[in-house]
Amino acid sequence: MSGPLNPIEGVTYHRAEDARRWLADGAWIASTVGDALRDSARRHPERPAFVSDERSITFGELDEATERLAAALLALGLASGDRAIFQLGTTVETALVLLGCFKAGIVPVCSLPQHREVEIGQLARQSGARGYFVQADFGSFDLVGFARQMAQQVPALQHLVVVRGEAQGLSGLQALIDAMPLEEARRRLRDVPVGPEDVLSFQLSGGTTGLPKIIPRFHAEYLGHAAGWMRTYGISADSRLIWSLPLLHNAGQLYALIPVALLGVTTVLMPRVDIRRMLELIEQHRITHALSIGPIAPQLLAYTELSRHDLSSLRLYATMSRADSLEAHLGLPCSNLYGITEGLLLGSGPDASTSRRHHTQGASGCAQDEIRLLEPGSETPVAPGAMGELCFRGPATLPGFFDAPEANARAFTSDGFYRTGDMMSAHVVDGVTCYAFEGRLRDNVNRGGEKIGCEEVESFVSRHPAVADAKLVAMPDPFYGEKGCIFIIPRPGQRAPDVAELAQFLVAQGLAKYKCPERVESIEAFPVTRVGKLDKPALKRHIAQTLAREAAAAAGSRP
């Protein structure tokens, strides 16, 4: 290979010698996602590629539709290397548009339907996007009208395409496909310069504050990255997956989209989380693997009608945490996982020991990944068994955020390890070095100088039989500076324990008394950011405002 065919200014590419080495040792796959899909369609033309309650599409149909769409987008005026804003939900049409863009060399900017003027304006300007895909029937918000408004503010957004719903005078997805004959499409695409080292997509960082940074991902790298996790979890061409979170997320594409193109896996898509329907679909379609990076596990733990569902086809359920509780609840192998858009995936397969699956986040599926645990703010490795900041480099590690030299200067060690801001400890389990998530830098309560790790307390609180999920945040205190406030989602029909009940339970579990939360707030759902991540700053603001109101009311009631 000779580098990218469509180099994009502002993108940091992997070094040529690294690319050659990773291709030679199999960490990268010398193909494009479009070519991988073509190969899978030749092998399995009649097999369902994507299934939803609304429609299904076979590999043969998907390959033809994406050929026609890719050529139609080029005929519309977009070109290989152009970027396009995406505001689409989790549907078969979204998968089709993503794969069509991949074939044309058009780079999706993977924003979300929930993003508004601030995020879309910044992302459009920074990425130089010329295309814009919106879903007309996503919720009650007028995304089509919003896209028109953003195109007026950012003149480079010249090509608006409406996916699902009325096109309202703009280019419609199905009309573009219908107007492009298949043979003409294939002729056009033969000369399109898309190579394995080209940018596949622009993913977004998942920070809880500020505007997201742009993370370029590449064809050969993404294919190899997906192949690594599939080996870890025992995914084969005959596996069936289910996905109900945003398909535009890095996790959605690595777990639910790329396996379809690469191996011929069938994925069942759900536009939103619905636990009862998810279990019905697992039974109906004989799903073999289910994965969750979001709030699904607590909802599953709270679901009381499991006996109604046949889950015997499910070989593994992987989740961010609490795999032990979930396995006891579901009666099938469950595994903790860890993933970060900047390029590392950790996990354990269904045949791994319970110690590895339940008490660590597992190991990387890529033998070429290098992982270090460093003292925060330094490049000094921690002592064996100690917690340290997870830092990594390897075939899927981003070489740099897009057009962000200042962020890049802070994000890496001097020898190129990416700093995650996540605290881990290393454990050798069954002869394999695995990593256990311990918390995040700054995600703690500083109670009079004593640092209380939020993740540790949350894990203990979540063991309480009345608790579906829990999040600890710091609340202001005039004496200690900070104390811990725990926000609890109770299980159905239960009430959250009060402070004294919870402390008694936690101390009996072995938690130090000083770590026990000193306030309990019951909540129906946790707030999330516009990139779909838990919004702990919002919880902190909520409790600070509540305390201020209580103090004002108390002051007003004094004689």
Side-chain angles (χ1 to χ4, degrees), residues 125-150:
R125 292 184 182 94
Q126 186 180 357
S127 68
R130 296 183 64 239
Y132 197 157
F133 295 88
V134 291
Q135 183 172 325
D137 63 354
F138 188 92
S140 59
F141 183 74
D142 181 8
L143 273 176
V144 177
F146 174 70
R148 292 183 191 271
Q149 173 190 334
M150 293 309 304

Side-chain angles (χ1 to χ4, degrees), residues 102-331:
F102 294 162
K103 284 185 172 182
I106 296 165
V107 178
V109 180
C110 296
S111 48
L112 295 174
Q114 294 85 354
H115 283 152
R116 294 297 178 259
E117 186 172 354
V118 172
E119 294 92 350
I120 296 300
Q122 188 226 27
L123 290 171
R125 292 184 182 94
Q126 186 180 357
S127 68
R130 296 183 64 239
Y132 197 157
F133 295 88
V134 291
Q135 183 172 325
D137 63 354
F138 188 92
S140 59
F141 183 74
D142 181 8
L143 273 176
V144 177
F146 174 70
R148 292 183 191 271
Q149 173 190 334
M150 293 309 304
Q152 291 176 349
Q153 295 184 22
V154 186
L157 292 171
Q158 298 175 7
H159 303 288
L160 274 58
V161 178
V162 176
V163 178
R164 299 168 57 102
E166 292 296 323
Q168 302 177 33
L170 300 174
S171 298
L173 171 65
Q174 196 57 50
L176 287 171
I177 295 172
D178 292 343
M180 176 58 64
L182 180 60
E183 289 308 313
E184 180 182 346
R186 287 177 170 156
R187 179 184 57 78
R188 279 178 175 265
L189 295 180
R190 275 196 290 269
D191 299 323
V192 171
V194 182
E197 293 185 63
D198 277 314
V199 175
L200 175 78
S201 65
F202 274 0
Q203 284 291 341
L204 306 184
S205 65
T208 57
T209 60
L211 293 167
K213 297 182 289 293
I214 293 174
I215 301 169
R217 304 302 298 257
F218 306 87
H219 282 263
E221 167 255 313
Y222 225 47
L223 288 168
H225 202 31
W229 86 260
M230 286 188 279
R231 285 192 298 269
T232 296
Y233 290 157
I235 303 287
S236 70
D238 295 323
S239 300
R240 290 195 163 203
L241 313 179
I242 191 166
W243 190 255
S244 60
L245 297 168
L247 190 59
L248 291 174
H249 275 171
N250 177 67
Q253 292 184 37
L254 276 174
Y255 290 139
L257 183 77
I258 301 301
V260 174
L262 182 59
L263 279 190
V265 171
T266 297
T267 293
V268 175
L269 296 174
M270 298 180 65
R272 64 185 180 279
V273 176
D274 180 329
I275 297 300
R276 181 187 297 275
R277 186 60 186 146
M278 175 187 294
L279 297 176
E280 290 171 350
L281 290 169
I282 289 172
E283 180 175 358
Q284 177 183 344
H285 296 289
R286 309 303 293 161
I287 299 297
T288 61
H289 295 76
L291 304 107
S292 164
I293 61 164
I296 297 177
Q299 293 185 47
L300 273 170
L301 286 168
Y303 186 75
T304 58
E305 300 181 20
L306 281 175
S307 60
R308 296 181 47 168
H309 307 281
D310 175 8
L311 305 182
S312 60
S313 64
L314 203 55
R315 295 193 61 235
L316 179 71
Y317 193 102
T319 180
M320 292 289 284
S321 62
R322 302 184 66 190
D324 51 352
S325 299
L326 200 60
E327 181 162 321
H329 187 58
L330 295 178

Side-chain angles (χ1 to χ4, degrees), residues 487-539:
F487 285 84
I488 289 176
I489 300 176
R491 289 179 181 266
Q494 303 281 329
R495 66 165 183 84
D498 63 25
V499 171
E501 291 170 339
L502 184 60
Q504 183 179 12
F505 174 83
L506 295 176
V507 170
Q509 294 288 311
L511 188 69
K513 187 175 181 180
Y514 82 88
K515 295 183 179 180
C516 293
E518 292 168 88
R519 182 168 178 130
V520 173
E521 289 286 316
S522 188
I523 194 170
E524 291 185 358
F526 298 129
V528 295
T529 68
R530 285 184 173 173
V531 294
K533 304 293 184 181
L534 172 70
D535 192 352
K536 273 202 169 179
L539 291 176

Side-chain angles (χ1 to χ4, degrees), residues 403-461:
D403 194 25
E406 292 183 2
N408 289 331
R410 298 189 300 269
F412 297 88
T413 64
S414 59
D415 52 354
F417 281 71
Y418 178 73
R419 297 182 180 274
T420 66
D422 290 333
M423 298 295 287
M424 293 266 192
S425 56
H427 307 268
V428 178
V429 185
D430 304 326
V432 177
T433 300
C434 300
Y435 296 87
F437 185 75
E438 303 287 356
R440 295 182 175 86
L441 289 174
R442 298 173 298 279
D443 189 14
N444 56 42
V445 176
N446 187 351
R447 189 182 188 275
E450 290 286 350
K451 301 292 199 312
I452 301 171
C454 293
E455 295 283 343
E456 178 190 28
V457 176
E458 290 162 1
S459 175
F460 274 87
V461 174

